[in-house]
Amino acid sequence: MRSLLAQTAMQLFAEKGFDETTVDEVAAAAGVSRRTLFNYFRTKEDLALSGLSEQGEVIAARLGARPADEDVWVSLRHAFVVLDEIEVSPENRLEIVSMLFDNDSLRAGHAEKQARWTDLLAPLIEPRLPASESRGFQARAIVGAAITCLQAATEEWLRLRGSTPLFDLYDTAVAAIRTSN
Amino acid sequence: MRSLLAQTAMQLFAEKGFDETTVDEVAAAAGVSRRTLFNYFRTKEDLALSGLSEQGEVIAARLGARPADEDVWVSLRHAFVVLDEIEVSPENRLEIVSMLFDNDSLRAGHAEKQARWTDLLAPLIEPRLPASESRGFQARAIVGAAITCLQAATEEWLRLRGSTPLFDLYDTAVAAIRTSN
DNA sequence: GCACAGTTGTGCACCAAGTGCAAGTTGCTT
DNA sequence: AAGCAACTTGCACTTGGTGCACAACTGTGC
């Protein structure tokens, strides 16, 4: 049910745009009442962003499976790469991503959801850092920076209309922030 | 007028919380009609976040005044420090920041507004990077990472209830992401 | 076959955010 | 005085979102 709703919603959003689609239309298209829709999704935004939370969990699972002595940046990159694999509709990918970045509140929600990945990922890399009172904080900073690189890469990937592989851009971003110039 | 509205809004938000305050109340408290309020602020969120855009411009101005051959991370830090100076009500600071982080959409909007600082700051540091086809992108990644460090530091500062200076935490965050472990 | 409880869907009334429009107000210019 | 522009306001309306009570279906034990 949840996935049916999310699917029909993405369909309509892709066709008409996010703002131009009402939740009533989504509910009608899915054949349920408006109230039922709100039983499954707290907000309209969630209809478009629900996938992100699940992606976060997949990434966390992947991260947890990396060897404990691996460099944390390497581990994070490996974990992120699942995003390239679980892509359901590669041809619509550009369309969907550009939708997420067109709308202000949607872009904000998207960034926020990804930022919440920090809560999942940071605890997994904290034990790999050298002991320190602020190790937990450092872990959050590192994960946050990695996610920022991913976001910057996605933005650039969108600007280039997908002509450059996402993770090439990601590598460029990470190199840019971690290399002294 | 704009500042009067923003001021009364922040007052009420601090007293009653963001969600528990209606825009009608803000308008009434400021002595104007609800409609007038929406002539000055596009959304309720803007009432709470309008200051951030201005802060971004102040930071950009400060950044532009740094010597062109200075390390970009050093320049960015110097520019950010204005945040410690333009603080209007230092005693309410904790209160205000925790309000921004309590509400989901507000936290998202806050992060998004700060992310938009990238648009202002990246062009200023791009010319300082070594020539490259992707220099603009690299500049955005660096600025984005620096802002992420600032946000992580703010979050930690909030968690510690302000007991550690914000920019000590910022330095810790930057060191964490830029130092190979 | 029947009463039982638990989940799930639905209708309805309601509140708050936000917009478009048309009319009123203020104040300044000529 | 008349006219013009900018600002303010009321009003009706759409949309997102919530609380609540009631129906429909499900499986369980008797």
Side-chain angles (χ1 to χ4, degrees), chain B residues 22-23 34-35 43-44:
Chain B
T22 68
V23 294
R34 159 202 185 71
R35 198 63 187 78
T43 68
K44 180 185 182 183

Side-chain angles (χ1 to χ4, degrees), chain A residues 105-166:
Chain A
S105 72
L106 213 47
R107 187 174 57 237
H110 176 251
E112 164 71 6
K113 283 257 185 188
Q114 286 199 187
R116 285 312 111 200
W117 290 357
T118 306
D119 302 331
L120 296 173
L121 306 184
L124 297 175
I125 71 160
E126 178 185 349
R128 304 191 189 181
L129 298 180
S132 151
E133 30 162 351
S134 63
R135 206 172 51 164
F137 170 49
Q138 290 174 38
R140 297 185 63 83
I142 292 172
V143 173
I147 292 174
T148 298
C149 287
L150 185 63
Q151 277 181 334
T154 304
E155 237 174 287
E156 183 72 357
W157 178 83
L158 181 63
R159 202 179 65 80
L160 299 175
R161 300 231 144 277
S163 63
T164 304
L166 177 62

